[in-house]
Amino acid sequence: MGQSLGCLQVDQSTVAVMEQFGKFDDVLEPGCHCVPWCLGYQSAGTLSLRVQQIDVRCETKTKDNVFVTVVASIQYRALAEKASDAFYKLSNTKAQIQSYVFDVIRATVPRLNLDAAFEQKNEIAKAVEDELEKAMSAYGFEIVQTLIVDIEPDIHVKRAMNEINAAARLRVAANEKAEAEKILQIKKAEGEAESKYLSGLGIARQRQAIVDGLRDSVLAFSENVPGTTAKDIMDMVLVTQYFDTMKEIGSSSKSSSVFIPHGPGAVKDISSQIREGLLQASSIKP
């Protein structure tokens, strides 16, 4: 209705392209404009100056022969001072941008390994942005931002990568577990060595105490009973200990000892063996 009356309203962030008899005449800014249609003037259309976004999915192959899908987000807008170029030179802006993105990604990613492609996302985005800026500026468009939002390997490759990662982590865990067990074994061995050392000291001190006690007993008995020798006193002590031991074994109701026929005379041999053991013990210093 407004255009039929010679008036045209242009919304904010939008420009209108005016033609006269089919030829470009002017770019109308936002606001109300007089368009004398009777003189051949008419609006050819409008052009948005807002930032627009297009998401491009491009399938390509990396240097190590892994197929990936690269998702790029392109943010662009038309320039008001080049509105005529943006309106007339391109019939399908999104398709044109998509073609340039395909060309740059398929020229850049095949030079990188898969891991490098993930690490160099910013470099890929910069290459796409530079190429688009150079190409689209001639058509009246500005590239605001280019983002590589995702790199998706084939599902089988992703599964293999996850398995490799899991195996590496399990290997590290196994090494840590083995190292911990090694430390425990070392500490256990050190503890056993220390325990045996202390046990040996205790046994040596015990034997030394026995030797000292027997020596004191022999000396005291010799002083009180004249004419006795140390050997006589030791034989008497051993016989006394022998009968005390037999008494303790016999008084136990749950004893399972097996007795071999022998007589007290065998104590003489036992006394010789004990004496030799005590002499050896007395030579051990704690």
Side-chain angles (χ1 to χ4, degrees), residues 38-228:
C38 56
L39 298 179
Y41 290 96
Q42 65 174 355
S43 173
T46 59
L47 180 68
S48 175
L49 301 181
R50 297 177 180 177
V51 176
Q52 303 180 61
Q53 177 171 310
I54 175 176
D55 293 330
V56 180
R57 299 178 64 88
C58 176
E59 185 178 13
T60 185
K61 185 178 70 170
T62 61
K63 187 177 180 180
D64 46 355
N65 297 322
V66 177
F67 281 91
V68 296
T69 300
V70 180
V71 182
S73 292
I74 314 299
Q75 298 175 354
Y76 67 98
R77 66 180 177 183
L79 298 173
E81 60 273 17
K82 295 183 178 181
S84 59
D85 292 338
F87 187 81
Y88 286 105
K89 286 188 176 182
L90 288 180
S91 59
N92 192 334
T93 305
K94 292 186 178 182
Q96 186 78 5
I97 292 176
Q98 185 175 4
S99 298
Y100 279 108
V101 173
F102 280 172
D103 182 66
V104 176
I105 289 179
R106 287 174 177 168
T108 305
V109 175
R111 296 199 296 264
L112 304 172
N113 291 326
L114 181 61
D115 292 338
F118 279 99
E119 295 173 357
Q120 301 182 24
K121 288 172 56 178
N122 293 336
E123 286 76 2
I124 299 173
K126 187 66 169 58
V128 174
E129 183 175 347
D130 293 343
E131 185 66 25
L132 283 176
E133 184 68 31
K134 181 173 62 176
M136 299 304 293
S137 61
Y139 299 109
F141 286 93
E142 176 190 14
I143 304 301
V144 178
Q145 186 74 24
T146 301
L147 302 173
I148 302 298
V149 297
D150 197 8
I151 299 178
E152 301 176 357
D154 181 76
I155 185 64
H156 300 293
V157 176
K158 292 174 66 176
R159 186 180 296 112
M161 292 174 64
N162 290 334
E163 291 177 355
I164 292 173
N165 192 4
R169 292 180 181 275
L170 290 174
R171 184 167 60 252
V172 172
N175 289 336
E176 293 295 332
K177 183 178 180 181
E179 190 67 23
E181 292 179 352
K182 175 183 175 182
I183 294 174
L184 290 176
Q185 292 294 334
I186 292 174
K187 293 299 181 182
K188 183 179 179 180
E190 292 177 352
E192 290 179 354
E194 185 68 17
S195 175
K196 290 179 180 179
Y197 172 74
L198 295 176
S199 177
L201 289 179
I203 292 173
R205 291 173 179 173
Q206 180 186 22
R207 291 177 178 177
Q208 184 64 39
I210 293 173
V211 170
D212 293 341
L214 290 175
R215 183 180 64 248
D216 294 341
S217 299
V218 170
L219 292 176
F221 195 87
S222 298
E223 293 176 353
N224 295 326
V225 183
T228 58

